[in-house]
Amino acid sequence: MNINLTLIAEMIVFIAFVWFCKKFVWAPIINALHERKTQIADGLAAAERGQHEHELAEKRAIEALKEAKEQASEIIAKAEKRASDIVDESKTDARSEGDRLLTAAKAEIDQEVQRAKETLRADLGAIVISGAEKILEREVDASAHDDMIKKLAAQI
Amino acid sequence: MAGDTLTSTAYIKHHLQNLTYGQHPDGSWGLAHTAAEAKEMGFWAIHVDTMFWSILLGVIFLYFFSKAARKATAGIPSGLQNFVEWIVEFIDSSVRGSFSSKNDLVAPLALTVFVWVFLMNFMDLIPVDFIPAAFERFIAPVFGIDPHAAFMKVVPSTDPNATFGMAISIFLLTIFYSLKIKGAGGFAAELTLMPFQSSNKVVQGILIPINFLLEFVSLIAKPISLSLRLFGNMYAGEMIFILIAIMFNAGLALGIFGGFLHLGWAIFHILIVTLQAFIFMTLTIVYMEMAHSHH
Protein backbone atom coordinates (compact mmCIF):
# COMPACT_ATOMS: atom_id res chain seq x y z
CA MET A 1 0.00 0.00 0.00
CA ASN A 2 3.05 2.27 0.18
CA ILE A 3 3.91 4.61 -2.64
CA ASN A 4 7.46 3.78 -3.62
CA LEU A 5 9.79 3.12 -6.51
CA THR A 6 7.15 0.81 -8.00
CA LEU A 7 5.36 3.97 -9.14
CA ILE A 8 8.21 5.10 -11.34
CA ALA A 9 8.90 1.56 -12.53
CA GLU A 10 5.23 1.18 -13.51
CA MET A 11 5.37 4.49 -15.38
CA ILE A 12 8.39 3.32 -17.36
CA VAL A 13 6.74 -0.05 -18.05
CA PHE A 14 3.53 1.64 -19.13
CA ILE A 15 5.29 4.02 -21.50
CA ALA A 16 7.30 1.13 -22.95
CA PHE A 17 4.10 -0.87 -23.51
CA VAL A 18 2.38 2.08 -25.19
CA TRP A 19 5.37 2.63 -27.44
CA PHE A 20 5.52 -1.06 -28.38
CA CYS A 21 1.77 -1.18 -28.93
CA LYS A 22 1.86 1.88 -31.19
CA LYS A 23 4.73 0.57 -33.27
CA PHE A 24 4.11 -3.17 -33.50
CA VAL A 25 0.42 -3.64 -32.82
CA TRP A 26 -1.66 -0.65 -33.76
CA ALA A 27 0.06 0.46 -36.95
CA PRO A 28 0.07 -2.91 -38.79
CA ILE A 29 -3.45 -3.83 -37.74
CA ILE A 30 -4.98 -0.49 -38.61
CA ASN A 31 -3.12 -0.55 -41.93
CA ALA A 32 -4.54 -3.98 -42.70
CA LEU A 33 -8.01 -2.75 -41.78
CA HIS A 34 -7.67 0.31 -44.02
CA GLU A 35 -6.34 -1.83 -46.85
CA ARG A 36 -9.29 -4.19 -46.50
CA LYS A 37 -11.66 -1.23 -46.43
CA THR A 38 -10.27 0.10 -49.70
CA GLN A 39 -10.34 -3.39 -51.22
CA ILE A 40 -13.98 -3.81 -50.26
CA ALA A 41 -14.82 -0.35 -51.56
CA ASP A 42 -13.02 -1.14 -54.82
CA GLY A 43 -14.80 -4.46 -55.06
CA LEU A 44 -18.18 -2.85 -54.54
CA ALA A 45 -17.39 -0.15 -57.09
CA ALA A 46 -16.27 -2.81 -59.58
CA ALA A 47 -19.45 -4.79 -58.97
CA GLU A 48 -21.55 -1.71 -59.53
CA ARG A 49 -19.61 -0.91 -62.67
CA GLY A 50 -20.07 -4.48 -63.84
CA GLN A 51 -23.78 -4.31 -63.22
CA HIS A 52 -23.99 -1.01 -65.05
CA GLU A 53 -22.09 -2.49 -67.98
CA HIS A 54 -24.32 -5.51 -67.91
CA GLU A 55 -27.37 -3.25 -68.11
CA LEU A 56 -25.81 -1.34 -70.99
CA ALA A 57 -24.96 -4.58 -72.77
CA GLU A 58 -28.51 -5.80 -72.33
CA LYS A 59 -29.80 -2.56 -73.77
CA ARG A 60 -27.38 -2.84 -76.66
CA ALA A 61 -28.41 -6.45 -77.22
CA ILE A 62 -32.08 -5.47 -77.33
CA GLU A 63 -31.28 -2.71 -79.81
CA ALA A 64 -29.21 -5.06 -81.95
CA LEU A 65 -32.01 -7.60 -81.89
CA LYS A 66 -34.53 -4.97 -82.88
CA GLU A 67 -32.30 -3.79 -85.71
CA ALA A 68 -31.75 -7.34 -86.86
CA LYS A 69 -35.49 -7.97 -86.89
CA GLU A 70 -36.06 -4.82 -88.88
CA GLN A 71 -33.38 -5.80 -91.34
CA ALA A 72 -34.80 -9.27 -91.61
CA SER A 73 -38.30 -8.02 -92.30
CA GLU A 74 -36.89 -5.56 -94.84
CA ILE A 75 -35.01 -8.36 -96.53
CA ILE A 76 -38.13 -10.50 -96.55
CA ALA A 77 -40.15 -7.65 -98.02
CA LYS A 78 -37.49 -7.09 -100.68
CA ALA A 79 -37.36 -10.78 -101.43
CA GLU A 80 -41.14 -10.95 -101.74
CA LYS A 81 -41.13 -7.95 -104.04
CA ARG A 82 -38.34 -9.49 -106.07
CA ALA A 83 -40.21 -12.78 -106.26
CA SER A 84 -43.38 -11.12 -107.49
CA ASP A 85 -41.28 -9.12 -109.96
CA ILE A 86 -39.71 -12.32 -111.23
CA VAL A 87 -43.11 -13.92 -111.57
CA ASP A 88 -44.42 -10.89 -113.44
CA GLU A 89 -41.38 -10.77 -115.65
CA SER A 90 -41.59 -14.42 -116.46
CA LYS A 91 -45.28 -14.04 -117.21
CA THR A 92 -44.51 -11.24 -119.66
CA ASP A 93 -41.64 -13.22 -121.11
CA ALA A 94 -43.80 -16.26 -121.51
CA ARG A 95 -46.53 -14.25 -123.20
CA SER A 96 -44.13 -12.61 -125.66
CA GLU A 97 -42.45 -15.92 -126.32
CA GLY A 98 -45.82 -17.48 -126.98
CA ASP A 99 -46.72 -14.63 -129.32
CA ARG A 100 -43.42 -15.01 -131.08
CA LEU A 101 -43.87 -18.75 -131.46
CA LEU A 102 -47.39 -18.20 -132.67
CA THR A 103 -46.24 -15.69 -135.27
CA ALA A 104 -43.45 -18.01 -136.38
CA ALA A 105 -45.88 -20.90 -136.62
CA LYS A 106 -48.29 -18.77 -138.62
CA ALA A 107 -45.50 -17.68 -140.95
CA GLU A 108 -44.44 -21.26 -141.45
CA ILE A 109 -47.98 -22.28 -142.13
CA ASP A 110 -48.24 -19.48 -144.71
CA GLN A 111 -45.01 -20.58 -146.26
CA GLU A 112 -46.19 -24.19 -146.35
CA VAL A 113 -49.44 -23.05 -147.98
CA GLN A 114 -47.46 -21.01 -150.50
CA ARG A 115 -45.21 -23.93 -151.20
CA ALA A 116 -48.14 -26.27 -151.56
CA LYS A 117 -49.73 -23.78 -153.94
CA GLU A 118 -46.49 -23.62 -155.95
CA THR A 119 -46.31 -27.38 -156.14
CA LEU A 120 -49.96 -27.55 -156.98
CA ARG A 121 -49.52 -24.97 -159.69
CA ALA A 122 -46.57 -26.88 -161.16
CA ASP A 123 -48.42 -30.19 -160.92
CA LEU A 124 -51.56 -28.64 -162.35
CA GLY A 125 -49.68 -27.51 -165.47
CA ALA A 126 -48.51 -31.03 -166.09
CA ILE A 127 -51.97 -32.43 -165.37
CA VAL A 128 -53.59 -29.87 -167.63
CA ILE A 129 -51.17 -30.65 -170.39
CA SER A 130 -51.54 -34.35 -170.02
CA GLY A 131 -55.27 -33.86 -169.89
CA ALA A 132 -55.23 -31.71 -172.98
CA GLU A 133 -53.04 -34.31 -174.71
CA LYS A 134 -55.54 -36.95 -173.94
CA ILE A 135 -58.34 -34.70 -175.08
CA LEU A 136 -56.59 -33.83 -178.29
CA GLU A 137 -55.11 -37.33 -178.51
CA ARG A 138 -52.08 -36.00 -179.98
CA GLU A 139 -48.87 -34.60 -179.12
CA VAL A 140 -49.02 -31.05 -178.22
CA ASP A 141 -45.97 -29.05 -178.38
CA ALA A 142 -45.53 -28.20 -174.79
CA SER A 143 -43.25 -25.35 -175.51
CA ALA A 144 -45.71 -23.86 -178.05
CA HIS A 145 -48.37 -23.66 -175.42
CA ASP A 146 -46.27 -22.98 -172.55
CA ASP A 147 -47.38 -19.42 -172.24
CA MET A 148 -50.96 -20.31 -172.31
CA ILE A 149 -50.51 -23.02 -169.64
CA LYS A 150 -48.70 -20.66 -167.44
CA LYS A 151 -51.54 -18.17 -167.77
CA LEU A 152 -53.96 -20.86 -166.84
CA ALA A 153 -51.90 -22.00 -163.91
CA ALA A 154 -51.69 -18.43 -162.62
CA GLN A 155 -55.44 -18.26 -162.66
CA ILE A 156 -55.76 -21.12 -160.24
CA MET B 1 -5.32 -20.75 3.39
CA ALA B 2 -2.15 -19.10 4.52
CA GLY B 3 -2.00 -21.18 7.67
CA ASP B 4 -4.40 -22.57 10.24
CA THR B 5 -2.91 -20.60 13.09
CA LEU B 6 -3.64 -17.32 11.33
CA THR B 7 -6.34 -15.11 12.69
CA SER B 8 -8.75 -13.41 10.32
CA THR B 9 -6.97 -10.10 10.75
CA ALA B 10 -3.61 -11.60 10.03
CA TYR B 11 -5.05 -13.40 7.01
CA ILE B 12 -6.44 -10.19 5.59
CA LYS B 13 -3.25 -8.28 6.31
CA HIS B 14 -1.21 -11.01 4.73
CA HIS B 15 -3.27 -10.75 1.58
CA LEU B 16 -3.03 -7.00 1.39
CA GLN B 17 0.74 -6.86 1.72
CA ASN B 18 2.91 -6.57 -1.36
CA LEU B 19 6.12 -8.53 -1.74
CA THR B 20 8.44 -5.58 -1.15
CA TYR B 21 12.13 -5.51 -1.97
CA GLY B 22 14.21 -2.68 -0.60
CA GLN B 23 16.86 -1.51 1.84
CA HIS B 24 16.33 -2.34 5.50
CA PRO B 25 17.04 0.35 8.07
CA ASP B 26 20.20 -1.53 9.05
CA GLY B 27 21.55 -1.03 5.54
CA SER B 28 21.07 -4.55 4.11
CA TRP B 29 18.96 -5.18 1.02
CA GLY B 30 16.20 -7.74 1.00
CA LEU B 31 12.50 -8.51 1.18
CA ALA B 32 10.34 -6.96 3.88
CA HIS B 33 9.11 -9.55 6.36
CA THR B 34 6.26 -7.50 7.76
CA ALA B 35 4.14 -4.57 6.69
CA ALA B 36 6.01 -2.39 9.18
CA GLU B 37 9.33 -3.35 7.63
CA ALA B 38 8.00 -2.55 4.16
CA LYS B 39 6.95 0.87 5.42
CA GLU B 40 10.35 1.54 6.92
CA MET B 41 11.97 0.98 3.54
CA GLY B 42 10.48 4.26 2.39
CA PHE B 43 10.39 5.31 -1.24
CA TRP B 44 13.36 3.30 -2.48
CA ALA B 45 11.64 -0.06 -2.40
CA ILE B 46 9.87 -1.96 -5.12
CA HIS B 47 6.82 -4.21 -5.13
CA VAL B 48 8.12 -7.34 -6.80
CA ASP B 49 4.68 -8.95 -7.17
CA THR B 50 3.08 -5.86 -8.74
CA MET B 51 5.95 -5.50 -11.19
CA PHE B 52 5.99 -9.19 -12.04
CA TRP B 53 2.28 -9.55 -12.71
CA SER B 54 1.86 -6.25 -14.51
CA ILE B 55 4.83 -6.91 -16.79
CA LEU B 56 3.75 -10.52 -17.37
CA LEU B 57 0.22 -9.46 -18.31
CA GLY B 58 1.49 -6.62 -20.49
CA VAL B 59 3.86 -8.98 -22.26
CA ILE B 60 1.08 -11.53 -22.80
CA PHE B 61 -1.12 -8.79 -24.26
CA LEU B 62 1.60 -7.43 -26.52
CA TYR B 63 2.79 -10.90 -27.53
CA PHE B 64 -0.60 -12.02 -28.81
CA PHE B 65 -1.50 -8.69 -30.34
CA SER B 66 1.82 -8.24 -32.10
CA LYS B 67 1.65 -11.85 -33.28
CA ALA B 68 -1.71 -11.08 -34.86
CA ALA B 69 -0.38 -7.77 -36.17
CA ARG B 70 2.61 -9.40 -37.85
CA LYS B 71 0.37 -11.71 -39.80
CA ALA B 72 -2.34 -9.12 -40.37
CA THR B 73 -3.52 -9.13 -43.96
CA ALA B 74 -6.30 -7.41 -45.80
CA GLY B 75 -7.66 -10.83 -46.71
CA ILE B 76 -10.03 -12.96 -44.69
CA PRO B 77 -8.87 -12.77 -41.05
CA SER B 78 -8.34 -15.97 -39.07
CA GLY B 79 -9.15 -16.62 -35.40
CA LEU B 80 -6.62 -14.56 -33.48
CA GLN B 81 -6.53 -11.78 -36.04
CA ASN B 82 -10.30 -11.63 -35.96
CA PHE B 83 -10.33 -11.26 -32.19
CA VAL B 84 -7.59 -8.62 -32.21
CA GLU B 85 -9.31 -6.72 -35.01
CA TRP B 86 -12.53 -6.78 -33.04
CA ILE B 87 -10.85 -5.08 -30.08
CA VAL B 88 -8.87 -2.71 -32.29
CA GLU B 89 -12.04 -1.62 -34.09
CA PHE B 90 -13.83 -1.17 -30.78
CA ILE B 91 -11.00 1.07 -29.53
CA ASP B 92 -10.82 2.86 -32.86
CA SER B 93 -14.53 3.70 -32.80
CA SER B 94 -14.25 4.84 -29.16
CA VAL B 95 -11.34 7.11 -30.06
CA ARG B 96 -13.17 8.46 -33.11
CA GLY B 97 -16.20 9.13 -30.94
CA SER B 98 -14.42 11.17 -28.27
CA PHE B 99 -11.23 12.42 -29.87
CA SER B 100 -11.60 14.94 -32.67
CA SER B 101 -8.00 16.05 -33.22
CA LYS B 102 -5.30 14.17 -35.07
CA ASN B 103 -2.81 12.30 -32.93
CA ASP B 104 -1.53 8.84 -33.77
CA LEU B 105 -0.59 8.16 -30.17
CA VAL B 106 -4.07 8.31 -28.66
CA ALA B 107 -5.50 5.13 -30.17
CA PRO B 108 -2.58 2.83 -29.24
CA LEU B 109 -2.50 4.48 -25.83
CA ALA B 110 -6.19 3.70 -25.38
CA LEU B 111 -5.68 0.13 -26.61
CA THR B 112 -2.82 -0.46 -24.20
CA VAL B 113 -4.76 1.06 -21.31
CA PHE B 114 -7.88 -0.94 -22.02
CA VAL B 115 -6.35 -4.36 -22.52
CA TRP B 116 -3.66 -4.02 -19.86
CA VAL B 117 -6.04 -2.69 -17.21
CA PHE B 118 -8.57 -5.35 -18.15
CA LEU B 119 -6.00 -8.14 -17.76
CA MET B 120 -4.72 -6.72 -14.47
CA ASN B 121 -8.27 -6.43 -13.13
CA PHE B 122 -9.06 -9.87 -14.43
CA MET B 123 -6.51 -11.39 -12.05
CA ASP B 124 -9.04 -10.52 -9.36
CA LEU B 125 -11.26 -13.34 -10.63
CA ILE B 126 -8.67 -15.98 -9.83
CA PRO B 127 -9.63 -17.26 -6.36
CA VAL B 128 -7.66 -15.20 -3.85
CA ASP B 129 -5.61 -18.02 -2.38
CA PHE B 130 -4.62 -19.96 -5.50
CA ILE B 131 -1.56 -18.07 -6.57
CA PRO B 132 -0.42 -16.82 -3.12
CA ALA B 133 -0.61 -20.35 -1.69
CA ALA B 134 1.20 -21.82 -4.69
CA PHE B 135 3.83 -19.11 -4.38
CA GLU B 136 4.28 -19.80 -0.66
CA ARG B 137 4.57 -23.56 -1.15
CA PHE B 138 6.53 -23.93 -4.36
CA ILE B 139 8.19 -20.72 -5.47
CA ALA B 140 9.20 -19.07 -2.18
CA PRO B 141 11.45 -21.97 -1.04
CA VAL B 142 13.29 -21.90 -4.38
CA PHE B 143 14.32 -18.28 -3.76
CA GLY B 144 14.88 -18.88 -0.09
CA ILE B 145 12.05 -16.60 0.95
CA ASP B 146 10.74 -17.03 4.51
CA PRO B 147 7.16 -18.45 4.20
CA HIS B 148 5.91 -15.79 6.61
CA ALA B 149 7.33 -13.10 4.36
CA ALA B 150 5.99 -14.72 1.19
CA PHE B 151 3.48 -12.02 0.39
CA MET B 152 1.86 -12.14 -3.01
CA LYS B 153 -0.67 -9.63 -4.30
CA VAL B 154 -1.78 -10.96 -7.63
CA VAL B 155 -3.90 -8.04 -8.84
CA PRO B 156 -1.56 -5.20 -9.87
CA SER B 157 -4.45 -2.73 -10.09
CA THR B 158 -5.02 -3.08 -6.33
CA ASP B 159 -1.60 -1.51 -5.88
CA PRO B 160 -1.92 2.30 -6.09
CA ASN B 161 1.60 2.40 -7.50
CA ALA B 162 0.39 0.73 -10.68
CA THR B 163 -2.73 2.85 -11.11
CA PHE B 164 -0.90 6.08 -10.22
CA GLY B 165 1.91 5.10 -12.52
CA MET B 166 -0.48 4.93 -15.46
CA ALA B 167 -2.48 7.97 -14.43
CA ILE B 168 0.63 10.11 -13.95
CA SER B 169 2.04 9.01 -17.30
CA ILE B 170 -1.25 9.98 -18.95
CA PHE B 171 -1.26 13.25 -16.98
CA LEU B 172 2.25 14.09 -18.19
CA LEU B 173 1.16 13.30 -21.74
CA THR B 174 -1.80 15.65 -21.46
CA ILE B 175 0.47 18.40 -20.08
CA PHE B 176 2.93 17.76 -22.91
CA TYR B 177 0.25 17.96 -25.60
CA SER B 178 -1.39 20.98 -23.95
CA LEU B 179 1.92 22.82 -24.15
CA LYS B 180 2.60 21.56 -27.65
CA ILE B 181 -0.80 22.38 -29.14
CA LYS B 182 -1.72 25.54 -27.22
CA GLY B 183 1.75 26.81 -26.33
CA ALA B 184 2.84 27.83 -22.84
CA GLY B 185 0.78 31.02 -23.08
CA GLY B 186 -2.33 29.23 -24.24
CA PHE B 187 -2.04 26.65 -21.50
CA ALA B 188 -1.46 29.33 -18.86
CA ALA B 189 -4.43 31.29 -20.18
CA GLU B 190 -6.57 28.18 -19.93
CA LEU B 191 -5.56 27.82 -16.28
CA THR B 192 -6.03 31.49 -15.31
CA LEU B 193 -8.62 33.11 -17.59
CA MET B 194 -11.36 30.49 -17.17
CA PRO B 195 -14.08 29.98 -16.06
CA PHE B 196 -14.63 33.56 -14.73
CA GLN B 197 -14.08 36.26 -17.30
CA SER B 198 -14.51 40.01 -17.31
CA SER B 199 -14.05 42.72 -19.89
CA ASN B 200 -12.69 45.01 -17.16
CA LYS B 201 -8.92 44.53 -16.95
CA VAL B 202 -8.73 45.15 -13.21
CA VAL B 203 -11.52 42.71 -12.42
CA GLN B 204 -9.90 40.22 -14.75
CA GLY B 205 -6.64 40.61 -12.83
CA ILE B 206 -8.42 39.91 -9.55
CA LEU B 207 -10.11 36.85 -11.07
CA ILE B 208 -6.80 35.30 -12.18
CA PRO B 209 -5.88 33.73 -8.81
CA ILE B 210 -9.45 32.52 -8.28
CA ASN B 211 -9.51 30.93 -11.74
CA PHE B 212 -6.09 29.45 -11.21
CA LEU B 213 -7.13 27.88 -7.94
CA LEU B 214 -10.22 26.30 -9.52
CA GLU B 215 -8.50 25.15 -12.68
CA PHE B 216 -5.41 23.87 -10.91
CA VAL B 217 -7.49 21.76 -8.55
CA SER B 218 -9.48 20.32 -11.44
CA LEU B 219 -6.24 19.68 -13.36
CA ILE B 220 -4.66 17.82 -10.44
CA ALA B 221 -7.92 16.02 -9.70
CA LYS B 222 -7.82 14.31 -13.09
CA PRO B 223 -4.92 11.88 -12.52
CA ILE B 224 -5.85 11.38 -8.88
CA SER B 225 -9.49 10.53 -9.59
CA LEU B 226 -8.45 8.42 -12.59
CA SER B 227 -6.08 6.25 -10.56
CA LEU B 228 -8.04 6.18 -7.32
CA ARG B 229 -11.23 5.14 -9.08
CA LEU B 230 -9.57 2.06 -10.53
CA PHE B 231 -7.59 1.34 -7.38
CA GLY B 232 -10.64 1.77 -5.10
CA ASN B 233 -12.87 -0.47 -7.17
CA MET B 234 -10.31 -3.22 -7.47
CA TYR B 235 -9.17 -2.95 -3.87
CA ALA B 236 -12.73 -3.17 -2.60
CA GLY B 237 -13.46 -6.10 -4.88
CA GLU B 238 -10.34 -7.89 -3.71
CA MET B 239 -11.27 -7.16 -0.10
CA ILE B 240 -14.70 -8.71 -0.53
CA PHE B 241 -13.15 -11.81 -2.11
CA ILE B 242 -10.81 -12.06 0.88
CA LEU B 243 -13.69 -11.66 3.34
CA ILE B 244 -15.66 -14.34 1.52
CA ALA B 245 -12.59 -16.57 1.55
CA ILE B 246 -12.48 -16.30 5.36
CA MET B 247 -15.88 -18.01 5.44
CA PHE B 248 -14.36 -21.13 3.86
CA ASN B 249 -12.52 -21.69 7.15
CA ALA B 250 -15.63 -21.26 9.30
CA GLY B 251 -17.40 -24.58 9.02
CA LEU B 252 -19.28 -26.43 6.27
CA ALA B 253 -22.51 -24.40 6.24
CA LEU B 254 -20.75 -21.04 6.11
CA GLY B 255 -18.29 -22.48 3.64
CA ILE B 256 -21.06 -23.48 1.21
CA PHE B 257 -22.76 -20.16 1.71
CA GLY B 258 -19.43 -18.49 1.07
CA GLY B 259 -19.07 -20.52 -2.10
CA PHE B 260 -22.35 -19.13 -3.44
CA LEU B 261 -21.36 -15.63 -2.37
CA HIS B 262 -18.04 -16.04 -4.08
CA LEU B 263 -19.72 -17.18 -7.29
CA GLY B 264 -22.19 -14.28 -7.17
CA TRP B 265 -19.53 -11.69 -6.48
CA ALA B 266 -17.25 -13.13 -9.15
CA ILE B 267 -20.01 -12.90 -11.77
CA PHE B 268 -20.74 -9.35 -10.69
CA HIS B 269 -17.04 -8.61 -10.67
CA ILE B 270 -16.69 -9.57 -14.34
CA LEU B 271 -18.79 -6.50 -15.02
CA ILE B 272 -16.66 -4.29 -12.76
CA VAL B 273 -13.43 -5.59 -14.27
CA THR B 274 -14.57 -4.71 -17.78
CA LEU B 275 -16.29 -1.50 -16.79
CA GLN B 276 -13.29 -0.11 -14.91
CA ALA B 277 -11.00 -0.90 -17.84
CA PHE B 278 -13.44 0.82 -20.17
CA ILE B 279 -13.81 3.87 -17.90
CA PHE B 280 -10.04 4.20 -17.55
CA MET B 281 -9.66 4.06 -21.33
CA THR B 282 -12.51 6.48 -22.05
CA LEU B 283 -11.23 9.03 -19.53
CA THR B 284 -7.74 8.73 -21.01
CA ILE B 285 -9.19 9.59 -24.42
CA VAL B 286 -11.24 12.44 -22.95
CA TYR B 287 -8.23 13.94 -21.15
CA MET B 288 -6.19 13.73 -24.34
CA GLU B 289 -9.03 15.42 -26.23
CA MET B 290 -9.12 18.20 -23.61
CA ALA B 291 -5.38 18.67 -24.05
CA HIS B 292 -5.85 19.06 -27.81
CA SER B 293 -8.92 21.28 -27.93
CA HIS B 294 -8.87 25.07 -27.86
CA HIS B 295 -11.37 26.90 -25.75
Side-chain angles (χ1 to χ4, degrees), chain B residues 221-256:
Chain B
K222 283 176 196 166
I224 294 175
S225 66
L226 186 64
S227 54
L228 284 185
R229 181 184 302 105
L230 178 61
F231 163 69
N233 271 284
M234 288 303 114
Y235 190 78
E238 174 89 334
M239 186 68 104
I240 289 174
F241 276 125
I242 294 168
L243 292 175
I244 292 169
I246 288 175
M247 283 189 188
F248 299 150
N249 256 6
L252 185 66
L254 260 181
I256 291 168

Side-chain angles (χ1 to χ4, degrees), chain A residues 17-30:
Chain A
F17 282 169
V18 170
W19 172 81
F20 186 90
C21 177
K22 177 170 156 49
K23 198 160 168 103
F24 297 106
V25 175
W26 189 267
I29 289 178
I30 214 77

Side-chain angles (χ1 to χ4, degrees), chain B residues 5 19 66 77 151 154 163 202 242 269 271:
Chain B
T5 54
L19 185 66
S66 60
F151 305 110
V154 180
T163 61
V202 180
I242 294 168
H269 212 61
L271 186 70

Side-chain angles (χ1 to χ4, degrees), chain B residues 37 49-50 134 207 258 262 292:
Chain B
E37 262 185 45
D49 46 2
T50 303
L207 286 174
H262 188 277
H292 282 73

Side-chain angles (χ1 to χ4, degrees), chain B residues 197-214:
Chain B
Q197 284 170 310
S198 172
S199 52
N200 189 326
K201 294 265 186 227
V202 180
V203 178
Q204 182 70 70
I206 296 165
L207 286 174
I208 283 176
I210 302 168
N211 282 335
F212 182 70
L213 190 69
L214 277 170

